C-alpha cells in the first residue's frame, strides 16, 4: 500500500517540522544553527539541555537540603507551610508550567534561587537595594481536583537552579505536584541549544568544565529582547517585560539580573562567545542598541542599554567601541560597520577630546565597574583608551577610511608614553590607580597594561605579573580596587595578561583557584560562572559605594566572568584570529602542565581547528583551517637552548628556512588547509 506509506511519511515530516519549530522561544524564528560544528566526545561537557523544555532532576528537603527523591518522584505537599525544593541540577531560566491535583482550596507558592543558600519561600534578590524583595509567585485553586499553572510571561525568571514550591492553605488540603516543565527562555533563536560552533578539550577535566561553564553562561545571557528587566523596578516581585533592543536575541549581563545590555561586560563575554557558542547575532543587536541610544550631540554612548539606560561612563563608552572592533573582526560585517561609522567617529571625538596636555585621558564620565565617582587620570580608563585607539586604527581600515589608521596609531603611541611616564610606580613595579599620588595598585589597570600591551618594556610586564600574585588567596585574587571582593571579571583580564607573556602556570593556577572554587562549590549552580564573591568564601558583593548588597543579589550566571573560555582557546590551544574573519590567524600553543589540547571555532570562512599532544620529548601539532587563509605558527622549543627538529607533513624544515626566533619560539609563516607538524 504505497499511498498510506507516503502519507505516513509526510505526517512524520510534518510532526518533525512542527516540533523543530517549537524548539525556539515562542514566536521566535529559528535562525541559529541546528548542529554543532565539531561533533565529538567532548560534547558530554556541554551543560545546555537538549530540549527547550526541561524538568527538575531531583527533589530536596528544604530543612536539610538533602536529596529525598529523584524527579519525577513523590511530590506531595500536605498542610499549610509544607514545602519541597526542586533542583534542576544546572542553571536554567524561563517559564515554569505546573500540573497538580489538590484535595481542597489553597495556593502554591513558587520561589527561585541560583545559589543553594537561598532555597526557601523567598526568591533570591534580583532588585538589590533598588526595590523591594522578589518574594514568590502564587498559583491559587479554589476546589479539589487537577489544575495547571503557567507563569505569566512578565514574571519570567531568567536564572535559577532551585525552585521551592510551598503550600499555603487554611484547610487540611494536600497537593500532589504531578509535573513540572520549564520552558527555557534563553538562546531564543536556537532550535538546538547544544549546537556549539566552537569546542575545547584537554587533558585537564576541570579546565574543560570551566570552559563549558563559561560557554553555557553566555547562552543564558542571550535572551529574547522583550524579556529585559522593566524599569522602574516593581516594589515587590519583578517584571521582565522590558524591551532591550532590536532583533530576536540580545546579549545581557546576567541571566537573573540586570537583564540589560552592558558593554563593559561584553569586553570579556564577546571573545568567549566567539570561540564557543558562536552566537554573534546577539552581540550585534546589543551593540546596535548602544548606537541607537548614542547622544547625537556629544557622541556619548550609554553605560547600559534600555530600559535601564544608565548614562555617564567614559569606560563603558569605550567598551562599546572595542566591542565594535571585536564584532567586525569575528564577522567581517562591514555593512554593519558602514551603517554605524559616522556615529563611531563622533564617539571617538567625544572621548579623545578628554585627553589633556599631559597626554592622559581625564575621565569625567565617572561611572565604572569598581569605582564610584573616581576618574580623572585613572590608569584603567587610560589602558582602555589605548585599546580603543589601537582597535580603532584597524576599524578605520575596514571602514574604508585608512587615513585615520596613522592618526589613531600615533595617538595611541603618545598615550602609551604618557601612561608609562605618569602612572607607573617604579619603586613598586606596577601601575598606580591614577596619575596622582596613591598607594593603590589595581588589578584591572595592571592586568590590562600587560594584555593591551601598554607596558613599554618586558621587564615591566614581568614585574607587574609577579606583583599581581600578592593579591592571591587560595580561592582567587582579591581585587584591591574593590576591597574584600574576588572578581572573576577582572581576573578574566588577569589570566589573559599572564598567558600573553607566557606565564602559563600562573594563568592556569588562577583559573583553577577562582573558577575551580566556584564550579566545585556545592552551593553554586555547578554549571555557570559567578559575577563575584567575597574573600572569605561566601557569596556576596561589597560595593564601591561602601555598602553590602543583599548577598543573594549576586548573579551566578554572568558573562563578564567567562574569560577562561577565550583564554584557554586563545592561549593554551593557542588558536586565534588576527585578521578579519580569520583570513589571517595565529597558532601559538602553551602547554602548561597539560599533555594535550584540541579545539576550534567557526567564522564565515569556515571551521578553524587545531590540536597538540606532547610526545617523545617534543610534541605533535596539527591544524585544519580554511584554504586561502594564512597563519603564523609560534612553536615552543622544548629542548632548552637546542635547535629543535621540525617536520611539516613529514618533511624536515631546514634550519635556513626558519626566519626567526621569538622568545623561545620558532615562528613559521604557513598557508591554510590541513597540516601536521612534529617538533622534537
Ligand atoms: C505570538 O504571535 C501571535 C500572533 O501574531 C500573537 O498573538 C502572540 O501574542 C505572540 N506571542 C508572543 C509571546 O509574542
Ligand atoms: C510522599 O511524601 C509525603 C510528604 O513527605 C509523605 O507523607 C508520604 O508518605 C509520601 N508517600 C509515599 C508513597 O512515599
Ligand atoms: C501558612 O504558611 C505560611 C507560609 O509558611 C505562613 O506564613 C502562614 O502564617 C501559615 N498560615 C496559617 C493559617 O497557618
Ligand atoms: C499537564 O497539563 C497540560 C495542560 O493541560 C497537559 O497538556 C499535559 O499533558 C499535562 N502533563 C502531565 C504530565 O500531566
Ligand atoms: C553552603 O551554604 C551553607 C548555608 O549557607 C553553609 O552552611 C555552607 O558552609 C556552605 N558551603 C560552602 C562550601 O560554602
Ligand atoms: C479563587 O477564589 C479567589 C477568591 O474568590 C479568586 O480571587 C481567585 O481568582 C480564584 N482562583 C481561581 C484559580 O479560580
Ligand atoms: C511591564 O509590566 C509592568 C507591570 O505590569 C507594567 O507596569 C509595564 O508597563 C510593562 N512594561 C512594558 C514595556 O510592557
Ligand atoms: C569582507 O567583506 C568584504 C565586503 O563584503 C569583502 O569584500 C571582503 O573580501 C571580506 N574580507 C574577507 C577577509 O573575507
Ligand atoms: C579633569 O577634568 C576636571 C573636570 O573638568 C577638572 O576639574 C580637572 O582639573 C581635570 N584634571 C586634569 C588633571 O586635567
Ligand atoms: C596602520 O598603521 C600602522 C602603524 O603605523 C602600520 O604599521 C600599518 O601598516 C598601517 N596599516 C595600513 C593598512 O595602512
Ligand atoms: C587616585 O586613586 C586613589 C585610590 O583609588 C583615590 O583615592 C584617589 O581619589 C584617586 N585620585 C584621583 C585624582 O582620581
Ligand atoms: C564574610 O564577609 C562578609 C562581608 O564582610 C560578612 O558579612 C560575612 O559575615 C562573612 N562571612 C563569614 C562566614 O565569615
Amino acid at each position: 500500500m504505497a499511498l498510506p506509506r507516503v502519507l505516513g511519511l509526510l505526517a512524520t515530516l510534518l510532526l518533525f517540522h512542527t516540533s523543530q519549530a517549537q524548539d525556539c522561544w515562542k514566536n521566535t524564528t529559528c535562525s541559529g544553527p541546528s548542529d554543532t560544528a565539531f561533533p565529538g566526545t567532548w560534547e558530554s561537557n556541554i551543560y545546555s539541555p537538549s530540549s527547550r523544555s526541561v524538568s527538575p532532576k531531583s527533589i530536596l528537603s528544604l530543612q536539610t537540603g538533602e536529596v529525598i527523591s529523584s524527579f519525577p518522584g513523590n511530590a506531595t505537599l500536605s498542610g499549610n507551610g509544607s514545602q519541597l525544593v526542586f533542583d534542576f541540577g544546572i542553571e536554567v531560566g524561563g517559564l515554569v508550567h505546573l500540573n497538580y491535583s489538590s484535595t481542597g482550596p489553597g495556593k502554591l507558592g513558587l520561589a527561585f534561587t541560583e545559589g543553594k543558600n537561598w532555597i526557601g519561600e523567598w526568591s533570591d534578590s534580583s532588585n538589590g537595594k533598588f526595590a523591594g524583595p522578589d518574594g514568590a509567585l502564587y498559583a491559587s485553586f479554589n476546589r479539589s481536583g487537577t489544575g495547571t499553572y503557567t507563569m505569566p510571561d512578565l514574571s519570567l525568571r531568567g536564572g535559577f537552579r532551585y525552585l521551592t514550591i510551598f503550600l499555603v492553605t487554611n484547610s487540611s488540603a494536600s497537593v500532589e505536584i504531578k509535573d513540572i516543565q520549564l520552558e527555557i527562555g534563553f538562546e531564543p533563536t536556537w532550535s538546538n541549544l547544544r549546537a556549539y560552533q566552537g569546542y575545547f578539550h584537554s587533558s585537564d577535566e576541570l579546565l574543560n568544565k570551566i570552559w563549558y561553564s563559561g560557554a553555557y553562561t553566555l547562552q543564558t545571557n542571550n535572551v529574547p529582547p522583550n524579556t529585559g528587566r522593566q524599569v522602574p523596578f516593581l516594589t515587590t516581585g519583578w517584571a521582565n517585560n522590558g524591551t532591550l533592543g532590536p532583533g530576536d536575541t540580545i546579549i545581557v549581563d546576567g541571566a537573573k539580573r540586570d537583564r540589560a545590555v552592558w558593554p563593559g561586560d561584553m569586553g570579556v563575554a564577546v571573545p568567549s562567545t566567539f570561540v564557543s557558542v558562536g552566537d554573534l547575532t546577539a552581540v550585534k543587536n546589543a551593540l546596535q542598541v548602544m548606537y541607537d541610544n548614542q547622544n547625537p550631540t556629544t557622541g556619548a554612548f550609554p553605560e547600559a542599554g534600555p530600559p535601564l539606560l544608565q548614562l555617564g561612563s567614559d569606560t563603558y563608552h569605550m567598551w562599546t567601541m572595542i566591542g565594535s572592533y571585536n564584532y567586525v573582526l569575528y564577522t567581517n560585517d562591514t555593512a554593519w560597520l558602514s551603517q554605524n561609522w559616522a556615529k563611531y567617529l563622533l564617539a571617538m571625538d567625544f572621548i579623545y577630546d578628554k585627553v589633556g596636555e599631559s597626554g592622559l585621558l581625564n575621565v569625567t564620565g565617572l561611572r565604572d565597574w569598581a569605582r564610584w565617582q573616581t576618574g580623572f587620570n585613572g590608569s584603567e580608563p587610560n589602558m582602555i583608551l589605548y585599546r580603543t585607539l589601537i582597535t580603532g586604527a584597524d576599524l578605520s581600515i575596514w571602514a574604508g577610511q585608512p587615513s585615520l589608521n596613522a592618526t589613531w596609531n600615533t595617538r595611541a603611541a603618545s598615550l602609551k608614553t604618557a601612561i608609562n611616564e605618569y602612572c607607573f610606580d617604579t619603586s613598586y613595579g606596577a601601575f598606580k590607580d591614577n596619575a596622582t599620588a596613591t598607594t593603590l595598585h589595581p588589578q584591572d589597570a595592571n592586568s590590562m597594561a600587560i594584555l593591551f600591551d601598554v607596558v613599554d618594556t618586558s621587564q615591566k610586564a614581568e614585574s607587574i605579573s609577579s606583583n599581581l600574585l600578592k593579591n592571591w588567596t587560595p580561592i582567587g585574587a582579591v581585587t584591591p580596587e574593590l576591597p574584600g571582593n574576588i572578581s572573576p571579571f577582572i581576573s578574566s583580564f588577569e589570566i589573559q595578561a599572564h598567558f600573553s607573556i607566557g606565564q602559563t602556570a600562573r594563568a592556569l593556577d588562577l583559573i583553577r583557584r577562582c573558577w575551580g572554587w566556584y564550579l566545585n562549590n556545592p552551593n553554586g549552580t555547578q554549571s555557570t560562572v559567578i559575577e563575584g564573591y567575597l574573600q572569605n568564601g561566601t557569596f556576596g558583593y561589597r560595593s564601591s559605594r561602601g555598602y553590602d548588597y543583599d548577598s543573594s543579589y549576586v548573579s551566578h550566571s554572568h558573562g563578564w566572568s567567562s574569560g577562561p573560555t577565550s583564554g584557554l582557546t586563545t592561549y593554551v590551544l593557542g588558536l586565534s584570529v588576527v585578521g578579519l574573519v580569520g583570513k589571517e590567524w595565529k597558532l601559538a600553543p602553551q602547554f602548561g602542565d597539560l599533555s594535550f589540547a584540541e579545539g576550534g571555532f567557526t567564522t564565515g570562512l569556515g571551521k578553524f581547528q587545531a590540536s597538540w599532544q606532547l610526545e617523545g620529548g617534543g610534541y605533535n601539532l596539527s591544524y585544519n583551517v580554511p584554504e586561502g587563509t594564512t597563519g603564523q605558527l609560534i612553536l615552543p622549543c622544548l629542548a632548552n637552548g637546542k635547535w629543535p627538529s621540525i617536520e611539516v607533513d613529514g618533511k624536515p624544515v631546514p634550519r635556513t628556512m626558519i626566519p626567526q626566533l621569538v622568545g623561545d619560539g620558532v615562528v613559521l609563516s604557513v598557508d591554510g588547509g590541513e597540516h601536521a607538524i612534529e617538533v622534537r
Side-chain angles (χ1 to χ4, degrees):
M1 295 272 290
L3 198 58
R5 277 190 58 176
V6 169
L7 283 176
L9 182 63
L10 262 177
T12 312
L13 283 173
L14 283 171
L15 270 176
F16 179 71
H17 184 79
T18 311
S19 75
Q20 286 292 96
Q22 280 171 350
D23 281 339
C24 290
W25 170 250
K26 294 198 179 277
N27 293 355
T28 306
T29 307
C30 288
S31 53
S34 47
D35 291 305
T36 174
F38 299 98
T41 53
W42 43 82
E43 285 176 77
S44 63
N45 279 324
I46 297 180
Y47 290 99
S48 324
S50 52
S51 162
R52 189 168 287 281
S53 182
V54 294
S55 292
K57 297 273 187 297
S58 53
I59 308 173
L60 315 184
S61 149
L62 178 59
Q63 286 72 32
T64 66
E66 301 293 326
V67 176
I68 50 179
S69 163
S70 57
F71 185 93
N74 176 20
T76 304
L77 300 168
S78 302
N80 186 55
S82 56
Q83 0 60 3
L84 288 171
V85 180
F86 297 88
D87 178 5
F88 285 79
I90 55 170
E91 173 89 359
V92 290
L95 298 172
V96 169
H97 300 259
L98 286 183
N99 295 33
Y100 58 84
S101 65
S102 62
T103 62
K107 59 183 181 176
L108 288 175
L110 287 78
F112 305 85
T113 171
E114 296 186 302
K116 192 175 181 184
N117 315 58
W118 292 281
I119 54 176
E121 294 181 3
W122 292 79
S123 299
D124 58 8
S125 169
S126 67
N127 297 316
K129 292 221 155 200
F130 309 107
D134 284 61
L137 302 175
Y138 290 95
S140 56
F141 39 89
N142 291 338
R143 52 181 177 78
S144 59
T146 60
T148 61
Y149 168 77
T150 297
M151 285 162 64
D153 287 359
L154 158 91
S155 304
L156 175 141
R157 192 73 182 175
F160 66 97
R161 172 175 168 177
Y162 297 97
L163 166 65
T164 303
I165 299 185
F166 56 99
L167 176 59
V168 182
T169 178
N170 45 26
S171 73
S172 61
S174 70
V175 175
E176 190 190 339
I177 310 290
K178 292 185 167 308
D179 194 26
I180 302 176
Q181 294 286 335
L182 175 75
E183 186 185 357
I184 289 180
F186 57 77
E187 204 72 273
T189 59
W190 285 35
S191 61
N192 174 4
L193 296 172
R194 296 168 63 86
Y196 282 21
Q197 298 304 293
Y199 82 109
F200 177 81
H201 193 59
S202 78
S203 54
D204 187 316
E205 202 48 26
L206 176 62
L207 294 179
N208 299 341
K209 289 194 156 73
I210 289 171
W211 191 96
Y212 281 95
S213 71
Y216 184 51
T217 299
L218 293 162
Q219 289 193 288
T220 71
N221 293 179
N222 291 336
V223 306
N226 61 353
T227 65
R229 177 51 50 96
Q230 176 62 22
V231 178
F233 296 165
L234 301 185
T235 46
T236 51
W238 67 95
N240 283 330
N241 58 342
T243 301
L244 296 163
D248 288 336
T249 179
I250 194 162
I251 187 167
V252 294
D253 59 331
K256 177 183 70 172
R257 60 145 269 271
D258 300 328
R259 291 186 78 82
V261 174
W262 282 93
D265 305 44
M266 289 167 71
V268 171
V270 174
S272 292
T273 292
F274 168 63
V275 301
S276 61
V277 180
D279 184 354
L280 294 168
T281 310
V283 170
K284 173 186 183 163
N285 291 330
L287 288 169
Q288 189 58 49
V289 81
M290 292 292 137
Y291 283 91
D292 293 347
N293 286 280
Q294 185 185 36
N295 181 321
T297 311
T298 64
F301 291 124
E303 184 197 29
L308 190 57
L309 210 61
Q310 280 176 187
L311 308 177
S313 169
D314 287 346
T315 49
Y316 278 55
H317 171 86
M318 293 187 281
W319 281 121
T320 292
M321 301 176 74
I322 295 169
S324 303
Y325 163 83
N326 284 334
Y327 172 67
V328 178
L329 172 69
Y330 299 143
T331 60
N332 189 25
D333 189 348
T334 46
W336 179 85
L337 183 59
S338 308
Q339 176 195 322
N340 292 297
W341 185 241
K343 291 181 171 184
Y344 181 94
L345 292 176
L346 194 60
M348 186 63 99
D349 288 343
F350 166 79
I351 195 68
Y352 199 76
D353 280 353
K354 300 189 185 199
V355 172
E357 266 175 32
S358 63
L360 290 176
L361 171 67
N362 182 5
V363 168
T364 52
L366 298 183
R367 300 184 66 103
D368 196 10
W369 84 274
R371 295 177 186 75
W372 182 239
Q373 306 296 332
T374 60
F376 308 108
N377 294 145
S379 299
E380 181 237 19
N382 274 280
M383 306 298 171
I384 299 174
L385 177 60
Y386 181 78
R387 182 71 185 152
T388 304
L389 289 165
I390 292 287
T391 54
D394 276 352
L395 273 174
S396 73
I397 296 165
W398 302 337
Q401 202 171 342
S403 59
L404 288 170
N405 176 47
T407 312
W408 291 346
N409 272 320
T410 306
R411 288 178 179 179
S414 43
L415 178 66
K416 181 169 177 166
T417 305
I419 297 173
N420 280 282
E421 181 174 349
Y422 297 114
C423 300
F424 196 73
D425 180 346
T426 311
S427 62
Y428 183 80
F431 286 95
K432 298 181 288 181
D433 203 31
N434 52 53
T436 316
T438 167
T439 53
L440 181 67
H441 302 99
Q443 186 190 9
D444 56 8
N446 279 294
S447 301
M448 290 175 194
I450 300 177
L451 180 62
F452 299 161
D453 197 26
V454 185
V455 284
D456 55 4
T457 65
S458 58
Q459 286 83 352
K460 269 187 188 170
E462 289 301 334
S463 135
I464 292 171
S465 171
S466 302
N467 273 320
L468 283 168
L469 306 183
K470 294 178 185 165
N471 301 327
W472 287 19
T473 72
I475 63 166
V478 177
T479 183
E481 58 271 40
L482 199 54
N485 287 275
I486 293 176
S487 170
F489 171 44
I490 295 307
S491 297
S492 289
F493 294 106
E494 180 173 341
I495 56 149
Q496 295 180 78
H498 295 303
F499 275 135
S500 71
I501 56 167
Q503 289 287 0
T504 317
R506 286 179 185 169
L508 293 178
D509 187 352
L510 186 53
I511 293 175
R512 290 173 178 133
R513 284 177 197 233
C514 173
W515 286 268
W517 175 82
Y518 179 70
L519 195 58
N520 287 324
N521 191 314
N523 290 332
T525 65
Q526 295 175 307
S527 55
T528 51
V529 294
I530 191 170
E531 174 183 21
Y533 52 95
L534 298 176
Q535 176 172 7
N536 65 13
T538 64
F539 299 144
Y541 198 72
R542 314 205 64 200
S543 93
S544 51
R545 295 193 223 178
Y547 54 72
D548 289 317
Y549 289 93
D550 176 340
S551 313
S552 77
Y553 182 60
V554 169
S555 161
H556 287 244
S557 196
H558 228 62
W560 80 352
S561 299
S562 64
T565 303
S566 67
L568 291 168
T569 297
T570 305
Y571 298 103
V572 171
L573 174 61
L575 189 62
S576 61
V577 300
V578 295
L580 259 190
V581 79
K583 191 89 188 349
E584 292 89 34
W585 47 273
K586 184 165 96 173
L587 180 53
Q590 292 185 29
F591 309 126
D593 54 5
L594 308 186
S595 59
F596 72 85
E598 66 174 294
F601 47 73
T602 309
T603 80
L605 297 180
K607 295 180 201 179
F608 291 72
Q609 195 261 347
S611 69
W612 56 258
Q613 308 85 38
L614 299 189
E615 206 164 303
Y619 57 95
N620 298 339
L621 177 74
S622 65
Y623 62 88
N624 188 358
V625 301
E627 300 278 1
T629 62
T630 56
Q632 215 183 35
L633 303 183
I634 301 177
L635 304 173
C637 301
L638 293 188
N640 263 344
K642 254 179 56 197
W643 200 258
S645 92
I646 300 174
E647 288 187 1
V648 176
D649 299 329
K651 296 193 198 78
V653 180
R655 218 177 122 164
T656 48
M657 294 281 292
I658 297 172
Q660 49 175 319
L661 279 170
V662 168
D664 64 353
V666 169
V667 180
L668 291 183
S669 292
V670 295
D671 288 331
E674 186 172 3
H675 299 281
I677 293 108
E678 244 186 65
V679 178
R680 294 288 184 272

